[in-house]
Amino acid sequence: MRRIYLAILVVAILVFSSCAQPPAEVPTPETTPPAETIPPPPTPPPDTTPPSTISGLVACNAYDGRVNVWWDKSAAEDFDHYNIYLNKAEMVDVTGIKAIQQIKDIATNTYQATGLEDGTKYYFAVTVVDKSGNENKLVASVSATPGPMPSGTVDPDIEVDVYQPDRVWAGTTLLADNHILERPRIIEVNMLGEIVWQYLLPVNLKQYTNPGLDVELLPNNNILFVLPRNGVYEMERSGKVVWSYLTSKIDHDADRLPNGNTIFVFGGYDQKSDAQVTEVNPKGDIVWTWYAKDHFDKAPYKDIYDEGWTHANAVTRLTNGNTLISLRNFNFVVEVDPKGTVVRTYGEGVFVNQHDPEVLPNGNILMANHGKPNRAIEFDPKTGKIVWQSAGFEQDASPVRDANRLPNGNTLITGTTEIVEVTPEGEIVWRLGLQGVSFSGQEAASLGFYKADRIGIVLP
């Protein structure tokens, strides 16, 4: 019994001793060891790279103390604004020069400077500033000299009803005007439509106006013009003819080449035996010809006939030495090398009775296209697709036969009863039209306007 009692006592002492021990310390927030600290990401270095320099900068006299400036839209993703600079000396670095204007809209790529002094040359530069304030201050400036608009004589048949002075490539417009059958003439008009110079065809020549009374200004300020089925002429502003090449196998288009030769087409009622393109030197010697029969006297072209076999209506000598020829009836343009070999055709399945194709600096081809409706189109020969087109012309302004890209990116388009300048977005910023004059049937093809060129100066 004593042993049982001692055993119970020992157990009790052990239990009491265990309960008397203080509990183990529980960590508290104050005593929790700190977690491993993650350092903040490093601060990125400040952006110090300026946006790319502006391209496509051009300027022109907008008359009466104004100059219009255009440039290519910036592609900077962090664009903030354009800076416009003006100086009376050429600028290569705008450091220290205060901008005359800031433009916050990246899509606004035109500016008109006003309050300038006529007769004074001004230089313009445009830069891009990003949201970090970076700006490339090294520039290539362009110049323009404002001056008064040349005055002319009002013709009641001709009116300019749209004219936005801050958005046009200002100058004079040279064209053949055949809206009065008994008074065919070559005229030059100012931006208001006033006639500042004209040449009336003499009586013995006025019957030679169709198809294609083509006119162009030469670098020496003389005028080169085609009288269909009669010849090509160069004359001074006084009306004095200083050179001519007479032939009945000519119409539509002629160009003076850099080497002094003249190249022209024949397509109005052309036969397979005819040369569609002829090049002559200043002496009148034929130095080059091209015959469509050597390449296209086969199906599906050999049996085509519409006012001629090919109705070739334009020719252009390219910078690579090849020649671009518009074959209207075949609905395509052909490029041939100096030997006359066809290098390539353009526009099959896209062009419709195309007129006056010209190759743009970007390699695309701009022309008047006679789809329904008539319009100007820009064609990418690499993809075979139309990449730009104007709005269609109304029936009474068709056919449309000429489209020229202006230095500011606008396009001058000539229809039978109106000539328009449109922006790349298609907005009409200048329009010259015949008032109270309309044509019907074949008259629309033979009368009215044919081609027009915008030129920047008038030299009496």
Side-chain angles (χ1 to χ4, degrees):
M1 190 67 182
R2 180 181 176 88
R3 290 180 178 176
I4 295 173
Y5 173 76
L6 289 175
I8 293 173
L9 179 62
V10 171
V11 171
I13 292 172
L14 290 174
V15 171
F16 174 78
S17 175
S18 175
C19 293
Q21 294 272 341
E25 184 177 357
V26 178
T28 63
E30 292 77 7
T31 62
T32 302
E36 183 179 353
T37 302
I38 300 176
T43 303
D47 177 14
T48 59
T49 303
S52 300
T53 57
I54 285 293
S55 62
L57 183 64
V58 293
C60 81
N61 170 26
Y63 301 127
D64 303 324
R66 298 175 296 183
V67 167
N68 290 340
V69 184
W70 292 265
W71 58 92
D72 293 338
K73 187 179 75 171
S74 172
E77 295 181 356
D78 55 349
F79 171 90
D80 186 77
H81 65 270
Y82 297 109
N83 273 343
I84 315 297
Y85 293 93
L86 167 67
N87 202 21
K88 289 186 178 180
E90 185 176 3
M91 293 175 284
V92 295
D93 189 333
V94 295
T95 302
I97 302 176
K98 184 179 180 181
I100 61 171
Q101 183 71 32
Q102 290 186 355
I103 298 176
K104 301 289 289 185
D105 181 8
I106 193 172
T108 301
N109 61 336
T110 180
Y111 173 75
Q112 183 176 81
T114 60
L116 306 178
E117 181 180 347
D118 283 350
T120 299
K121 179 183 285 189
Y122 293 89
Y123 290 84
F124 300 86
V126 180
T127 63
V128 181
V129 181
D130 65 20
K131 296 187 183 301
S132 298
N134 298 309
E135 176 186 21
N136 189 343
K137 294 181 177 292
L138 298 179
V139 299
S141 57
V142 297
S143 66
T145 303
M149 183 184 297
S151 60
T153 302
V154 174
D155 186 313
D157 289 349
I158 295 175
E159 179 185 33
V160 169
D161 63 348
V162 177
Y163 176 34
Q164 297 186 37
D166 60 333
R167 304 186 67 190
V168 300
W169 184 262
T172 59
T173 305
L174 182 71
L175 66 142
D177 171 30
N178 191 35
H179 79 276
I180 298 178
L181 185 60
E182 295 301 315
R183 192 193 62 179
R185 57 183 180 168
I186 302 168
I187 62 175
E188 187 174 2
V189 300
N190 63 18
M191 297 303 292
L192 302 178
E194 299 169 345
I195 297 175
V196 300
W197 178 86
Q198 73 171 349
Y199 170 75
L200 299 175
L201 292 185
V203 173
N204 64 316
L205 295 178
K206 67 180 183 179
Q207 61 179 308
Y208 301 108
T209 59
N210 186 56
L213 178 51
D214 181 34
V215 178
E216 71 175 49
L217 181 70
L218 298 177
N220 62 2
N221 196 43
N222 288 350
I223 308 295
L224 186 75
F225 63 97
V226 171
L227 295 184
R229 301 190 181 92
N230 176 266
V232 56
Y233 295 80
E234 178 185 346
M235 73 173 178
E236 297 175 345
R237 291 278 188 157
S238 65
K240 178 183 177 181
V241 174
V242 296
W243 181 87
S244 64
Y245 180 81
L246 303 183
T247 174
S248 62
K249 305 290 187 177
I250 185 173
D251 49 43
H252 289 95
D253 185 36
D255 288 339
R256 177 62 49 80
L257 303 178
N259 64 1
N261 292 352
T262 302
I263 193 168
F264 58 85
V265 296
F266 176 56
Y269 298 97
D270 64 312
Q271 306 299 314
K272 290 182 181 180
S273 59
D274 292 320
Q276 279 68 37
V277 180
T278 301
E279 179 182 344
V280 297
N281 65 21
K283 295 180 180 180
D285 301 324
I286 296 175
V287 297
W288 190 78
T289 55
W290 184 79
Y291 289 81
K293 67 179 181 179
D294 295 338
H295 310 276
F296 297 106
D297 191 11
K298 58 185 178 181
Y301 313 109
K302 65 184 182 67
D303 296 325
I304 292 175
Y305 194 89
D306 181 5
E307 296 182 311
W309 178 40
T310 70
H311 203 88
N313 58 22
V315 60
T316 300
R317 179 62 47 78
L318 304 176
T319 56
N320 64 3
N322 291 348
T323 303
L324 195 70
I325 307 163
S326 173
L327 304 178
R328 190 201 72 173
N329 286 353
F330 296 173
N331 293 315
F332 61 68
V333 174
V334 61
E335 180 180 347
V336 303
D337 65 19
K339 295 181 179 180
T341 303
V342 173
V343 174
R344 186 177 175 185
T345 61
Y346 302 94
E348 290 187 85
V350 178
F351 300 168
V352 179
N353 291 347
Q354 72 286 338
H355 279 69
D356 203 45
E358 68 171 46
V359 178
L360 303 176
N362 62 5
N364 292 347
I365 302 175
L366 179 71
M367 72 191 70
N369 198 49
H370 285 190
K372 294 184 179 180
N374 285 197
R375 67 177 81 237
I377 64 170
E378 180 179 343
F379 172 80
D380 184 346
K382 295 179 180 178
T383 64
K385 296 181 179 179
I386 296 173
V387 296
W388 178 87
Q389 61 183 8
S390 71
F393 279 64
E394 299 292 339
Q395 183 63 37
D396 61 359
S398 298
V400 176
R401 293 192 179 99
D402 191 18
N404 299 323
R405 184 60 46 80
L406 301 175
N408 63 351
N410 291 352
T411 304
L412 188 72
I413 309 170
T414 304
T416 300
T417 58
E418 68 177 25
I419 304 170
V420 299
E421 178 181 344
V422 302
T423 67
E425 295 73 32
E427 180 181 357
I428 296 176
V429 293
W430 185 81
R431 179 169 57 205
L432 175 147
L434 293 173
Q435 301 303 302
V437 178
S438 61
F439 307 112
S440 60
Q442 186 59 31
E443 285 185 334
S446 60
L447 298 178
F449 304 142
Y450 183 68
K451 294 182 182 179
D453 288 329
R454 176 68 49 78
I455 56 180
I457 57 174
V458 178
L459 297 175

